[in-house]
Amino acid sequence: MAIRYNTATGFMPSQWNGKGRANLDPVWLVERLALFDTYCAPSLDGQSLKDFTVLVGFDSETHENYIRTVCDCAIGIDVRPVLVDAGADYNVAFNAFVQSDTDAEFVSLTRLDSDDALAPSFMERVDFYARWEIAKGEVNQQPLYIAFPHGQNFDAATNRYTQHEYPTSAFGTLVEKRSPSMNGVYCDEHTKMAMRFNTVGAASKEAQWCIVIHDNNAANVLRGKPVAEPAFTVGRPGAETETRAAARKEPAQKQMPQTSAKASRNAGNFIRFLLGRPMVLRK
C-alpha cells in the first residue's frame, strides 16, 4: 500500500495562507491528521488480511513527531514512512523503498489517499487477484493493473452514503516483477493506468472503497446513487474530526469566517505542531 501523505504534489489547501510550502502548512497537516486517524487508519486496522505493509510518503521536512503520530494511527499494521525531498519523484521513492526492503520476485502496490477508506475485504481481494494472475503467468512479461470499479462515497457533513461506480478509480493495484526499473503504481494518473497496462477488473457486488467527502478536499461533491445501507461504514467508532465536533458546539450565527475557524477549531493541536509535540487524536 502506498499513500502520498504530504509529498509535494502541487495541491492547494483551501485554508493555506500562501506562506511557505503548501504541503507543510501546519493547519492543513493538523486537519489531515484528524481525517487520516478517523477514516483511513481504521480501514487499514480492519482489513481481514493484515499481512501487508503501508508506505506513507512524507515531505522530508515534515516534523518527525508528526510523522511518528501518523504512523502510529494504524494499530497492528506495518506502517513505514518514506521521506521525499521537495522536487523529488515520490513514485521513485516508493519503488526504491520496495527494492531495499524485500527480495520478493513480484510486487503488488496499491494506491490510497490519506483521507479515504477501504472495505475490510479489500487487501484480501488484492492478494487473491495478484496471486491468481501471477500463477497464470500474466505478470511474467509485463505489469498487470487490477482495477476496483465498485465503491461508495461518504459525506462527512451529512453522514450520507452513495453507491459510486468508477471504472478508473484511484484505488488500483499494479502487480509487476520487482526490479530497479519497475513502473510503480504512481507512474501515471489513475485514470490512465488501465490504458497503459493490461488490466483486470476485480469482481465485486459490494463497494470495496469509500471516498470521504469533506470541506478541504479536491473532490468535495457527493457522487453516485443514494443508498439506504452502505456496503460498509467508515470512521473510527465514537470518534469524529475536531472540525465536525466544534461545528456542532458553535451556533451558526457566531461562527468565525472559514479561515479563522479552521485554525481555531484545531488550536490545541496547532500549537502542539508548532512546538514539535505529539498531537492529541482521541481521548
Side-chain angles (χ1 to χ4, degrees), residues 18-46:
K19 298 179 181 179
R21 298 218 306 275
N23 59 311
L24 294 176
D25 177 64
V27 174
W28 183 89
L29 286 173
V30 169
E31 291 179 354
R32 180 56 47 142
L33 178 58
L35 289 164
F36 179 77
D37 180 68
T38 301
Y39 299 111
C40 188
S43 78
L44 300 175
D45 296 340

Side-chain angles (χ1 to χ4, degrees), residues 216-246:
N216 199 11
N217 66 354
N220 56 0
V221 178
L222 194 65
R223 294 180 172 87
K225 300 178 181 179
V227 293
E229 293 292 336
F232 64 99
T233 57
V234 299
R236 195 178 295 280
E240 296 174 304
T241 61
E242 293 182 10
T243 298
R244 289 177 61 200

